[in-house]
Amino acid sequence: MSPNKKFNPVTAKILTTGLFILIGCLLACAIHMVSLGKIYEQKAEDELLGHMQVAVEVINHDVDAQMVATQACADAIFFHEDDTKLSTILKEYTDEYDEYEFYYAAPDGMTYYANGTAVEDGAFEQLSEIHGYEFQNDFICITQEGNNVKGEKESYWIGICRLQLKEYDEPGFLMSRRDNNDLFKDECFDYLCELGICSLVDKKGTVITTDSNYVKELGLGDNFYEALKEYSNGSNHSESQINQMRSEIPSQQEGNMEFVSSAGRNVFVAYEEINGTRDRYLMVVFHEDAVYEMVQPVLFRSFLLWTIILIIMLVTIGFVWNSGRVARRTVERLAFEDSVTGGKNLNFFRKKAAEIINQNRETPFLIYRFDILNFRYINEAYGHDKADLILKACVQEFMRIYSKNELCVRINSDHFLALIINNTDTKQNYQSYMKAIGEAARTNGVRYPIRLRTGVYQVRKDDYNIDIMIDHANAARKSLSGTEKVQEAMYSEKIVSNMKKVDAIESQMQPAIVNDEFKIFLQPKWDIVNDRLVGAEALVRWIKDDGSMIYPSDFIPLFETNGFIEKLDFHMLEKLCKRIREIELEDKYVLVPISVNQSRILINNPDYVKNVEKVISRFNIDVEHLQIEITETVFFDEKNKMIEVVNQLKKLGLSLAMDDFGSGYSSLNILRDIPFDVLKIDREFVSESVASKSSIVIMQKIIEMAKGLNIKVICEGVETKEQIITLRELGCTMVQGYYYDKPIPMDEFLDKYCRPKTNISKR
Ligand code: C2E
Ligand code: CA
Ligand code: CA
């Protein structure tokens, strides 16, 4: 039975949006990670080059310092040109600069040391040969491998100053030596060594000194370029990159290149020349994928964040979906259930009945649209709780009596809809159903007879629109006024034409007031004791342009439901007052009190009495000439209002009549509660009373009681002489009815009954 089990459109929209956001996040995260990797790679390269710059600066600074110290030593030797002094000065400076060792290679082939020894070691020839072609300046710094005093192989920085001593005809070389074994241990190399391999290489690619990673990664080869080639994957690209670097280096101070290793890793090589050496280069080799290792924690954190977002989103989506499900169930419950009866409601009926009819096209169905007559009275007299039990019984008893394919729901207040299969049991079932509701009411202490007013529509094979079917059944129900003996009507052409009539009346009522189509007809009220006219009742007649007449029964009930009655009654009151005033001024007729009918609905208007007062004072009529007739009410809240209104109208000097007594659920108590001056006994009640002996007693009691309360009685609808005789015997003094006259146009009435000295007798 439950309608749509899938997602409703709102939840589906939320879920798809959520999914799109999720995919979006996924993509953004992937793109973010890739670009993050790229950024870090670039950043690492930049940082590497930056660190390299710093390292070169530091080395350059050391070279400069070495140059200053070497030059200072050279100056000292130059100004003390004495052999003995040479070794002393060398010692002096070696002591002063404890990281340098000074010695002098003279052109005679001897090398003089700080400890006073002089050795013929060919250093002068070597230096002249190696550096002659480029040793233009006074100082050059070279790196060289050699043995220390302990005979260990070491790598050195050697600062060389050309120094011409007097005793030689060509310059020798003053040298300062400092070891550079721990070069890469300096903190400025920390980053570089951590990330890659550092080495000092000369122009030809000879490796002068390296960090500890070099051998591990690039092997034992003496030549840097050969080692790189060995390490590369041997591709043309890698080879040409290495060759290009090799050819560029003699003319470039710095640069970098990339190639691929035999293990398929991207290798980045950067170089920079060390000042003051002109043939020594700092080389740094690093693997680009090493960057990823650095970036990994960042990427991991990104991934973690993304996962958390994902989980939050999934939880949110789950929550929304679940809330949607709960909300959908609640909406379904609210949309399809009726809280008063515990059954289903109109929405459900529209859906389900349409389904049943469509799936069973061969089955003849009826739609019942019914309400409970005078349910409002039951509500007020027995209370809402008991009234609700009757409503519940309407649904429960239906389910007990009818089959599964038949439905009954409450629409609102006491209005119901049912889908019934039309077969031989239909009549019987309906009787049992009404009986069952009546019994349920009695069981719950409601003695008031339960009567259903039912409109029936027979579903045709080509009917598809359930709303139209319901409307037809409702039109049939509305065609019943509530006073008929059988409260059941089948939808028919007649009902349609009545509806059209109603539409026509509704479209014409407003212009009818403007065109003065509502006319006053008067019917005499007769004193049957003295046989004379005692008053008249104003009754409305709608006379159209073409002269056709519409009787109140054709439009008053409609005006009471559409609210137009308020306008009409006020219009009639004004018209009557205007005419009364004219007659009063003319002095042509002898006036009797004329009563005007005012609908019960008018008393709900809080300004009603004020409006009546205004009309009376506007036309300045004698209030003795005007009476007001209102139908009694059985409803409690209206009764209180009625008492108030009647009292206020009486204060204006008006006489008040209670109309149609005995037509509905009249109670004698009402005469005591509401201070009416006149009691008009309904036509039906009069004709019944004079016909049956037992009713005569009731009528007599009513008349007696009214007299006791000082209320005048008028019996309506008197048509025969016999009725008058009986009523006179019962103590009734005034009557109104066709026996004396029908309602006739006001002017005709005045001419007939109100001319001075007119004496019409029926006796
Ligand atoms: P009502 O107020 O009970 O008026 C008396 C009705 O009984 C009138 O019907 C009258 O023509 C009819 N009648 C009088 N004597 C006899 C008789 O001997 N035999 C029969 N069979 N009928 C008799 P009418 O004029 O058709 O009015 C019907 C109802 O319409 C009135 O009943 C009243 O309730 C309502 N009505 C008429 N004019 C107005 C009006 O201006 N305003 C309001 N609110 N209701 C009006
Ligand atoms: Ca009346
Ligand atoms: Ca009446």
Side-chain angles (χ1 to χ4, degrees):
M1 288 281 174
S2 159
N4 202 1
K5 285 236 188 240
K6 287 181 199 155
F7 298 125
N8 70 18
V10 178
T11 317
K13 230 179 230 178
I14 293 171
L15 287 179
T16 4
T17 314
L19 206 68
F20 275 118
I21 293 174
L22 208 71
I23 293 168
C25 277
L26 207 72
L27 269 171
C29 195
I31 294 167
H32 172 72
M33 279 166 127
V34 169
S35 56
L36 206 69
K38 285 239 162 80
I39 290 167
Y40 268 87
E41 197 180 293
Q42 185 61 45
K43 200 168 174 282
E45 274 178 25
D46 292 348
E47 213 152 308
L48 183 101
L49 293 173
H51 278 267
M52 210 170 145
Q53 204 107 42
V54 172
V56 170
E57 290 286 319
V58 171
I59 297 172
N60 284 343
H61 180 266
D62 285 349
V63 171
D64 285 348
Q66 191 166 358
M67 182 186 83
V68 171
T70 316
Q71 232 141 25
C73 180
D75 288 348
I77 294 167
F78 187 75
F79 290 110
H80 298 86
E81 306 166 333
D82 174 338
D83 262 2
T84 47
K85 282 279 179 185
L86 177 65
S87 59
T88 315
I89 295 166
L90 287 174
K91 182 163 183 352
E92 215 172 85
Y93 274 80
T94 304
D95 289 347
E96 193 182 335
Y97 298 91
D98 57 356
E99 57 199 293
Y100 305 124
E101 205 183 323
F102 292 95
Y103 53 102
Y104 180 75
D108 59 4
M110 296 297 284
T111 302
Y112 300 87
Y113 290 94
N115 59 8
T117 54
V119 186
E120 193 176 3
D121 57 4
F124 178 81
E125 284 78 15
Q126 247 179 29
L127 286 169
S128 306
E129 195 182 307
I130 296 168
H131 301 290
Y133 62 96
E134 56 184 350
F135 194 10
Q136 315 289 317
N137 303 323
D138 291 336
F139 178 82
I140 189 169
C141 188
I142 59 164
T143 48
Q144 206 169 51
E145 279 192 337
N147 295 323
N148 63 8
V149 278
K150 292 179 201 160
E152 294 158 338
K153 205 170 183 208
E154 279 203 338
S155 168
Y156 300 102
W157 285 110
I158 301 177
I160 308 160
C161 234
R162 279 207 314 188
L163 180 60
Q164 169 90 54
L165 294 184
K166 261 190 198 155
E167 53 266 43
Y168 301 111
D169 34 344
E170 55 178 316
F173 304 109
L174 175 71
M175 291 180 282
S176 57
R177 190 165 84 157
R178 103 186 127 89
D179 72 66
N180 64 6
N181 291 325
D182 296 334
L183 175 71
F184 299 118
K185 293 210 172 100
D186 191 292
E187 60 182 353
C188 66
F189 283 99
D190 284 355
Y191 181 86
L192 298 173
C193 293
E194 191 192 326
L195 200 71
I197 309 152
C198 299
S199 48
L200 220 51
V201 174
D202 72 8
K203 269 182 185 167
K204 289 176 189 142
T206 313
V207 179
I208 310 296
T209 183
T210 70
D211 72 357
S212 51
N213 294 334
Y214 185 89
V215 179
K216 222 166 34 193
E217 295 286 349
L218 299 180
L220 290 167
D222 273 347
N223 191 285
F224 182 72
Y225 306 115
E226 295 310 319
L228 284 186
K229 278 186 184 172
E230 195 72 12
Y231 188 64
S232 86
N233 62 353
S235 71
N236 286 345
H237 172 77
S238 299
E239 199 133 319
S240 77
Q241 285 288 306
I242 298 166
N243 286 340
Q244 194 180 340
M245 177 175 158
R246 190 178 205 162
S247 62
E248 268 173 15
I249 276 196
S251 56
Q252 298 269 354
Q253 278 196 322
E254 60 180 47
N256 57 61
M257 65 96 173
E258 281 173 43
F259 70 92
V260 183
S261 79
S262 55
R265 299 167 79 181
N266 277 358
V267 184
F268 179 80
V269 184
Y271 61 88
E272 187 159 348
E273 189 189 34
I274 292 163
N275 284 349
T277 65
R278 254 179 271 118
D279 77 335
R280 299 295 189 264
Y281 290 83
L282 176 66
M283 292 280 181
V284 178
V285 180
F286 90 106
H287 294 111
E288 285 180 346
D289 53 13
V291 171
Y292 282 104
E293 277 159 36
M294 281 168 59
V295 183
Q296 239 169 23
V298 182
L299 292 184
F300 179 72
R301 276 201 299 276
S302 296
F303 180 75
L304 205 68
L305 191 74
W306 178 79
T307 312
I308 291 167
I309 292 170
L310 187 83
I311 290 167
I312 290 172
M313 282 204 58
L314 284 175
V315 169
T316 312
I317 289 172
F319 177 75
V320 168
W321 178 72
N322 193 44
S323 316
R325 224 183 39 179
V326 172
R328 201 173 62 246
R329 286 209 184 130
T330 313
V331 167
E332 264 171 33
R333 215 186 56 238
L334 292 175
F336 293 105
E337 282 173 19
D338 173 45
S339 57
V340 174
T341 60
K344 303 290 181 187
N345 64 9
L346 175 64
N347 288 336
F348 180 82
F349 185 90
R350 291 174 62 233
K351 197 175 154 54
K352 193 70 192 168
E355 237 171 71
I356 294 175
I357 293 168
N358 280 336
Q359 286 165 6
N360 304 280
R361 279 275 153 211
E362 294 309 314
T363 313
F365 284 108
L366 295 175
I367 288 178
Y368 281 15
R369 172 78 169 73
F370 60 91
D371 64 339
I372 301 168
L373 278 178
N374 288 319
F375 187 72
R376 196 174 153 206
Y377 173 73
I378 298 170
N379 237 333
E380 284 180 5
Y382 297 95
H384 288 275
D385 290 346
K386 287 203 168 162
D388 282 358
L389 287 175
I390 296 175
L391 300 177
K392 224 179 229 173
C394 287
V395 171
Q396 279 166 0
E397 293 304 324
F398 186 95
M399 284 175 10
R400 198 173 58 76
I401 293 166
Y402 289 93
S403 72
K404 256 189 166 180
N405 258 355
E406 292 166 299
L407 288 177
C408 175
V409 305
R410 189 180 77 108
I411 304 171
N412 53 43
S413 82
D414 60 318
H415 289 253
F416 291 84
L417 255 178
L419 178 74
I420 284 164
I421 298 171
N422 191 8
N423 55 25
T424 46
D425 296 336
T426 308
K427 247 200 174 105
Q428 178 58 40
N429 282 347
Y430 187 61
Q431 295 300 332
S432 314
Y433 178 55
M434 283 206 291
K435 210 168 138 203
I437 297 172
E439 264 163 29
R442 276 191 296 281
T443 314
N444 288 306
V446 177
R447 287 179 308 280
Y448 187 84
I450 306 294
R451 291 175 68 205
L452 303 182
R453 174 168 53 173
T454 310
V456 183
Y457 176 70
Q458 182 154 17
V459 178
R460 293 193 315 236
K461 280 194 177 155
D462 57 348
D463 277 332
Y464 285 96
N465 190 328
I466 189 73
D467 291 328
I468 293 176
M469 300 179 227
I470 295 170
D471 283 349
H472 288 347
N474 199 25
R477 184 190 64 89
K478 278 186 177 166
S479 71
L480 296 161
S481 68
T483 52
E484 298 90 342
K485 282 228 161 70
V486 179
Q487 285 298 315
E488 205 184 320
M490 186 70 118
Y491 178 80
S492 65
E493 279 309 311
K494 196 174 152 219
I495 285 169
V496 178
S497 72
N498 277 347
M499 276 166 62
K500 282 183 184 155
K501 237 195 241 168
V502 165
D503 286 347
I505 290 176
E506 287 194 323
S507 67
Q508 290 162 8
M509 62 192 187
Q510 197 74 41
I513 291 224
V514 181
N515 300 338
D516 196 24
E517 290 175 12
F518 294 108
K519 305 288 183 196
I520 300 173
F521 274 46
L522 294 184
Q523 186 181 31
K525 290 174 183 170
W526 213 262
D527 177 344
I528 53 172
V529 179
N530 302 308
D531 190 29
R532 62 184 178 93
L533 179 81
V534 282
E537 177 177 6
L539 293 155
V540 66
R541 295 290 179 266
W542 185 348
I543 299 173
K544 297 210 175 164
D545 271 351
D546 59 7
S548 62
M549 190 194 291
I550 310 176
Y551 284 89
S553 55
D554 285 337
F555 58 86
I556 296 283
L558 172 64
F559 288 1
E560 278 180 338
T561 49
N562 70 16
F564 192 68
I565 193 72
E566 212 173 329
K567 214 162 184 182
L568 175 73
D569 278 354
F570 202 68
H571 175 70
M572 291 299 284
L573 178 73
E574 274 187 318
K575 235 171 119 77
L576 184 64
C577 288
K578 189 173 175 231
R579 192 74 189 98
I580 287 175
R581 184 61 190 154
E582 282 165 10
I583 299 163
E584 283 173 356
L585 293 174
E586 276 172 13
D587 209 16
K588 190 170 151 194
Y589 301 110
V590 180
L591 259 180
V592 284
I594 303 173
S595 62
V596 66
N597 288 289
Q598 299 282 277
S599 168
R600 223 171 45 196
I601 289 162
L602 270 74
I603 65 166
N604 290 321
N605 182 345
D607 293 331
Y608 173 61
V609 178
K610 226 189 283 169
N611 292 340
V612 172
E613 189 181 4
K614 270 189 205 158
V615 174
I616 291 171
S617 57
R618 174 144 62 98
F619 294 105
N620 195 24
I621 59 158
D622 180 352
V623 283
E624 291 281 314
H625 293 143
L626 185 68
Q627 249 182 17
I628 284 178
E629 291 187 15
I630 307 175
T631 313
E632 61 149 318
T633 178
V634 289
F635 300 118
F636 183 77
D637 54 338
E638 279 185 9
K639 199 172 91 183
N640 285 343
K641 241 182 263 167
M642 183 80 95
I643 295 171
E644 205 185 316
V645 168
V646 167
N647 275 322
Q648 285 174 343
L649 289 172
K650 282 184 76 165
K651 272 190 197 148
L652 300 178
L654 292 167
S655 161
L656 270 294
M658 185 210 275
D659 206 356
D660 300 343
F661 183 83
S663 67
Y665 303 92
S666 315
S667 139
L668 283 169
N669 286 342
I670 212 151
L671 288 178
R672 199 190 49 206
D673 296 338
I674 310 177
F676 283 108
D677 302 290
V678 180
L679 174 68
K680 294 189 80 179
I681 299 177
D682 186 65
R683 174 157 47 94
E684 297 273 336
F685 197 77
V686 171
S687 61
E688 259 176 47
S689 299
V690 293
S692 111
K693 282 221 165 110
S694 59
S695 305
I696 284 180
V697 181
I698 299 172
M699 177 68 105
Q700 200 170 12
K701 291 284 167 217
I702 293 171
I703 295 169
E704 267 173 28
M705 190 184 157
K707 271 189 184 161
L709 289 166
N710 208 16
I711 297 171
K712 289 178 198 159
V713 175
I714 298 180
C715 285
E716 289 187 299
V718 177
E719 290 177 350
T720 63
K721 177 104 187 169
E722 291 71 43
Q723 284 176 330
I724 293 181
I725 293 167
T726 313
L727 289 170
R728 204 182 282 137
E729 279 169 6
L730 289 173
C732 172
T733 57
M734 287 183 284
V735 298
Q736 186 184 334
Y738 291 171
Y739 178 72
Y740 288 98
D741 217 336
K742 288 196 170 183
I744 53 173
M746 186 162 181
D747 287 337
E748 196 182 320
F749 183 93
L750 291 171
D751 277 336
K752 191 168 173 183
Y753 293 103
C754 301
R755 283 194 178 280
K757 289 175 200 149
T758 311
N759 192 7
I760 297 168
S761 172
K762 280 266 178 183
R763 207 191 283 250

